Amino acid sequence: MKRLEEFPRVSLGVFPTPIRRLDRISKLLHTNVYVKRDDLTGLGLGGNKTRKLEFLLADARAQGAQVVFTTGGAQSNHAMLTAAAAGRLGMRAILLLKKRGVTDCRGNLLLEKLMGTDVRLIDTDDYNEIYAEMDRVGRALGVPYYKIPCGGSNALGSLGYVACAREIHEQGQAFDYIVCAEGSGGTMAGLALGAKLYLPGTRVCGMMVDRAPFDEITPALMRGAAALLEAEVTIGPEDYLLRDACGPGYAVPSPEGNEAIACLAANEGIFLDPTYTGKAFAGLLAMAREGAFRPEDKVLFLHSGGAAGIFAAAL
Ligand SMILES: *Cc1c(COP(=O)(O)O)cnc(C)c1O
């Protein structure tokens, strides 16, 4: 198996991110809940995409790219962090974002305005059309360009969360569960593969905040990342847990998510976002209420960021 150090990587974040026991939440839920603060990754307002971008933008740089394209919803945290990271590396970011969702100048669009990012709102729901548009724009510019998929979720980006699993191992505590939001899949897939490699005994549960075939996406990304690493593992359904946490729809706030946001804000002074982490934490609360965790279990919640989304939400 290859070592993670053999892959080109740019330094964008501050790692390791802290792990802390949530004492008041643990008491409320009669189990041991911990948080890993990937909302404090140190670029922009923090968030999970920084770990993926360390690998993706190193690849872009190795290929001589001057322009980096990516896409997502109008309030994509991933797109904003890609622009922030590209700026730091002296590359130009062009964001082709879907027009649906909050498109007035709030949240991530406001941060992109502050950075002077080239943002183009595209009136389609089909990512293939957007990737084709990237090629049209890139060819017209006539400079080397690099395309990053929605959420940075390809095999290479997922290595960021394989590295996170190794980081958790190095932080010296063992967990029975890791719970994270699953939006485009790379975070969950990286953690689930990383757990298989570095965290035996830890089950990773992806809280699905979008309606997509994650039972196909998750193992496909895990296999892709394992292939890059030349890791000899077989991936099966026993390697990951998935749970619906979408509520009324992707990026539409849910009552359960809002309750989870209020719970963590009031009891721990930690702010979750309405699109991803609020719904993911609501899923954790629901599992606890259903008796999924024993009193002696240790459950690690990945806070994957999303702060800007709070300021674009209609809560
Ligand atoms: C993108 C994102 C996620 C989901 O991660 P994926 O790798 O896309 O599944 C979770 N939380 C936040 C705040 C995000 O921006």
Side-chain angles (χ1 to χ4, degrees), residues 48-49 52 77 153 181-187 273 276-277 304-306:
N48 59 340
K49 302 310 179 315
K52 301 178 183 184
N77 301 306
S153 284
E182 179 153 17
S184 61
T187 301
D273 79 294
Y276 298 99
T277 54
S304 45

Side-chain angles (χ1 to χ4, degrees), residues 2-312:
K2 278 192 173 177
R3 290 179 311 122
L4 286 164
E5 283 68 25
E6 291 175 56
F7 292 83
R9 191 165 172 180
V10 291
S11 171
L12 296 168
V14 182
F15 301 114
T17 55
I19 292 178
R20 180 167 75 79
R21 187 173 187 274
L22 300 176
D23 291 334
R24 291 175 55 83
I25 299 288
S26 297
K27 205 168 189 174
L28 284 171
L29 301 186
H30 307 293
T31 190
N32 302 287
V33 183
Y34 292 73
V35 65
K36 181 153 177 73
R37 298 294 304 271
D38 270 17
D39 57 323
L40 303 178
T41 42
L43 175 73
L45 302 185
N48 59 340
K49 302 310 179 315
T50 302
R51 291 190 190 265
K52 301 178 183 184
L53 288 165
E54 288 201 341
F55 288 92
L56 292 166
L57 289 177
D59 189 39
R61 190 186 243 183
Q63 293 186 24
Q66 294 173 29
V67 170
V68 179
F69 288 101
T70 198
T71 184
Q75 285 295 334
S76 166
N77 301 306
H78 160 71
M80 187 275 284
L81 281 175
T82 300
R88 242 174 78 170
L89 298 172
M91 291 191 262
R92 175 176 168 204
I94 301 179
L95 310 182
L96 304 186
L97 306 181
K98 288 183 179 176
K99 219 170 191 169
R100 68 178 159 92
V102 181
T103 56
D104 53 338
C105 193
R106 288 191 281 156
N108 285 300
L109 286 172
L110 174 61
L111 299 178
E112 284 147 15
K113 188 174 179 191
L114 294 180
M115 292 186 285
T117 308
D118 185 342
V119 176
R120 307 178 189 189
L121 295 173
I122 311 285
D123 200 3
T124 179
D125 264 336
D126 180 356
Y127 278 123
N128 288 324
E129 269 180 44
I130 293 187
Y131 298 129
E133 177 68 7
M134 289 177 185
D135 285 319
R136 275 194 292 278
V137 176
R139 277 196 298 268
L141 286 170
V143 296
Y145 62 92
Y146 188 86
K147 294 184 289 179
I148 296 178
C150 167
S153 284
N154 56 18
L156 186 63
S158 302
L159 290 186
Y161 273 87
V162 175
C164 179
R166 192 179 67 175
E167 182 180 297
I168 292 167
H169 164 71
E170 287 166 353
Q171 285 174 294
Q173 296 190 60
F175 295 95
D176 298 283
Y177 292 90
I178 297 175
V179 174
C180 67
E182 179 153 17
S184 61
T187 301
M188 168 66 189
L191 282 175
L193 176 63
K196 210 170 157 73
L197 297 173
Y198 304 109
L199 304 167
T202 303
R203 308 219 62 193
V204 185
C205 179
M207 296 293 179
M208 303 178 285
V209 301
D210 199 350
R211 302 205 196 289
F214 289 112
D215 54 337
E216 293 163 23
I217 294 168
T218 308
L221 283 170
M222 289 175 74
R223 289 190 189 108
L228 285 180
L229 284 165
E230 296 169 14
E232 288 185 18
V233 290
T234 48
I235 309 293
E238 66 285 358
D239 292 317
Y240 50 88
L241 297 167
L242 299 173
R243 187 183 163 104
D244 179 24
C246 188
Y250 173 72
V252 182
S254 69
E256 299 79 15
N258 293 352
E259 183 205 323
I261 292 171
C263 175
L264 210 58
N267 287 292
E268 302 283 353
I270 294 173
F271 296 105
L272 302 172
D273 79 294
T275 301
Y276 298 99
T277 54
K279 288 181 177 178
F281 198 71
L284 187 157
L285 292 176
M287 282 178 78
R289 286 187 192 124
E290 289 162 13
F293 308 128
R294 297 166 300 173
E296 65 273 24
D297 278 346
K298 291 173 77 176
V299 181
L300 181 66
F301 178 71
L302 180 84
H303 189 337
S304 45
I310 297 170
F311 303 101

